[in-house]
Amino acid sequence: MSIHDLVAEKQPESFVFSPENEALIKKIIAKYPKGKQASAVMPLLDLAQRQNDNWIPMKAIEKIAELLGMARIRVLEVASFYTMYNLKPVGKYFLQLCGTTPCMLRGSDDIARCIKDKLGIVSGESTEDGKFSVLEVECLGACVNAPIVQVNDDFYEDLDYDSMELLIESLSNDTPLPQGSVKGRSGSQAETGPTSLTKMKSKSAALKSSIKSKKVSVVSTEKARS
Ligand code: FES
């Protein structure tokens, strides 16, 4: 794949950071030692993307290179390496479907099938109305509740074909389901609920109640003495 496949054909003629982002950029750059300001490239790319409807135009790459004293190609290398940065416009709802082994073993193929059935798109494509884009990505770091789909900034976990269908319907109506596990799992607990932690919980409850009753008995003995 060449860089021409990665970046949008149609590019804006200019890009200027908003005054709010200019102020944020100063704070971000100040976090790094003098001469190491190139380390701010990732947060600046993120700001540019958020300001520009979730994609980064080439003029923003140039602006960031200028701000950080970097070669443009170095900024572009970073932006094209990470799937979290979009170099082309994406839909209002950008679905990042994890296809790495834990998610694959837990049914990510069914999720991809559901997206194709309901939206008619596969990885790298957008719907004609510009509402949805989908991209298959590597591990999103939430394997414990696999399979995962990230929608813009939100994670949806424990999905299957039916729950993905419901999620797509909710997004189509602009009333997204609450983020998190669609099965209501708390944190990364087992699907059957807490196991060893339950025992720890009951032990600690017993300990607390024993301390409380000892305190009561000490108080009543002291009262009896006085
Ligand atoms: S493998 Fe899918 S989140 Fe890690």
Side-chain angles (χ1 to χ4, degrees):
M1 186 183 279
S2 81
I3 197 69
H4 300 291
D5 298 318
L6 285 174
V7 303
E9 231 175 85
K10 209 172 154 198
Q11 293 281 338
E13 287 184 359
S14 62
F15 176 86
V16 180
F17 276 111
S18 65
E20 296 78 22
N21 280 342
E22 289 276 7
L24 267 177
I25 286 167
K26 277 189 191 146
K27 283 189 189 164
I28 292 169
I29 293 177
K31 289 181 186 170
Y32 299 97
K34 211 169 176 208
K36 303 286 182 195
Q37 64 272 33
S39 302
V41 66
M42 292 189 71
L44 265 59
L45 284 167
D46 183 62
L47 280 183
Q49 179 161 282
R50 287 176 190 278
Q51 187 184 305
N52 193 60
D53 276 342
N54 214 9
W55 75 283
I56 306 169
M58 289 305 289
K59 286 289 175 192
I61 299 274
E62 289 172 18
K63 181 72 192 165
I64 292 169
E66 186 189 313
L67 285 166
L68 300 180
M70 294 172 72
R72 291 173 194 173
I73 187 64
R74 299 257 342 265
V75 180
L76 187 58
E77 277 169 359
V78 176
S80 57
F81 179 79
Y82 294 100
T83 51
M84 63 192 272
Y85 300 122
N86 302 311
L87 295 169
K88 288 178 176 179
V90 291
K92 177 176 181 184
Y93 297 111
F94 179 45
L95 314 181
Q96 294 183 69
L97 165 63
C98 176
T100 303
T101 313
C103 282
M104 190 264 284
L105 292 173
R106 297 264 300 165
S108 63
D109 285 352
D110 289 339
I111 313 294
R113 187 163 53 83
C114 177
I115 293 171
K116 188 166 184 218
D117 289 350
K118 300 296 153 200
L119 299 173
I121 52 173
V122 294
S123 181
E125 294 181 347
S126 299
T127 53
E128 276 182 14
D129 62 2
K131 196 147 187 178
F132 292 92
S133 296
V134 63
L135 185 67
E136 183 174 328
V137 296
E138 298 302 328
C139 181
L140 288 167
C143 333
V144 75
N145 284 357
I148 309 294
V149 170
Q150 183 179 346
V151 181
N152 299 340
D153 284 337
D154 297 332
F155 272 27
Y156 291 88
E157 306 156 13
D158 285 325
L159 290 161
D160 57 14
Y161 188 101
D162 294 338
S163 49
M164 187 64 212
E165 191 175 0
L166 287 176
L167 175 59
I168 290 173
E169 270 170 30
S170 73
L171 297 170
S172 300
N173 299 328
D174 291 323
T175 51
L177 292 176
Q179 60 169 309
S181 165
V182 297
K183 290 182 180 167
R185 271 210 270 182
S186 167
S188 53
Q189 70 181 200
E191 278 190 331
T192 48
T195 52
S196 55
L197 289 178
T198 308
K199 286 177 194 160
M200 283 178 70
K201 205 173 167 186
S202 59
K203 270 187 189 168
S204 107
L207 188 63
K208 271 185 196 160
S209 120
S210 137
I211 291 169
K212 203 174 165 190
S213 63
K214 274 183 188 154
K215 273 186 188 163
V216 170
S217 103
V218 169
V219 171
S220 9
T221 315
E222 279 171 0
K223 270 189 187 166
R225 277 186 192 146
S226 61

